[in-house]
Amino acid sequence: MKTFSLLALLAATANAVSLYLVGDSTMAKHSTSEGIQGWGEKIGAYLTGITIVNKAVSGRSARSYTREGKWAAVAALLAKGDYVVIEFGHNDGGDPATYDTASVYGEGTDTVTVTLSDGTVETVYTWPTYVGWMIDDAVAKGATPIISSQLPTILMRMSQLRLIRLLVS
């Protein structure tokens, strides 16, 4: 089994390349008054010769980041040799009809159609579908995608619901 250090990999290939960060609050920039800080703000202190481009946005999911055009904007910037860390999952759980960040439960090609509060009709896909599109776009541009995500929180909630049903039965 081959193992590697992300920092060593990036340092070895840091000839005018960029490291793009896309995700949620766990890596996003925050104002001092918020009292929190995403890890994306600190990683630059450990890397030299590489440009850090933090495009993470608090409260976003793979679905909302895609819908809002944020991923398309990052994909347009990617160049051969760049890296992109994709970190979603924290805000991806829930019912897509109720939460505008939630993905369809599962890992297949299932979809649901929902109407957002502003009246927009949206086809919602599974979390792996959104992340898969990001991976495909990055690879097509010659960039290296790095996945740093937990599973969508819906998996935990569904497990808790099953456990509660078992306990009540």
Side-chain angles (χ1 to χ4, degrees), residues 18-24 27-28 39-44 52-57 65 71 74 83-88:
S18 295
L19 172 64
Y20 289 87
L21 306 176
V22 300
D24 55 35
M27 70 167 38
W39 66 262
E41 285 298 288
K42 293 291 188 179
I43 195 169
I52 308 298
V53 184
N54 191 343
K55 296 291 188 175
V57 182
Y65 201 85
W71 170 250
V74 171
Y83 294 85
V84 58
V85 177
I86 301 167
E87 183 175 283
F88 293 102

Side-chain angles (χ1 to χ4, degrees), residues 65-79:
Y65 201 85
T66 301
R67 180 185 62 244
E68 294 170 4
K70 294 179 184 337
W71 170 250
V74 171
L77 297 173
L78 293 174

Side-chain angles (χ1 to χ4, degrees), residues 29-70:
K29 297 176 185 177
H30 298 276
S31 68
T32 305
S33 64
E34 290 180 271
I36 60 174
Q37 189 172 57
W39 66 262
E41 285 298 288
K42 293 291 188 179
I43 195 169
Y46 300 97
L47 303 173
T48 57
I50 189 165
T51 302
I52 308 298
V53 184
N54 191 343
K55 296 291 188 175
V57 182
S58 292
R60 297 309 180 275
S61 64
R63 171 187 168 193
S64 61
Y65 201 85
T66 301
R67 180 185 62 244
E68 294 170 4
K70 294 179 184 337

Side-chain angles (χ1 to χ4, degrees), residues 13 55 58 64 74 82 91 95 119 128 134 137 149 156 160 167:
T13 60
K55 296 291 188 175
S58 292
S64 61
V74 171
D82 286 342
N91 298 312
D95 180 354
M134 293 175 188
D137 289 346
S149 291
M156 180 184 68
Q160 288 172 338
L167 293 174

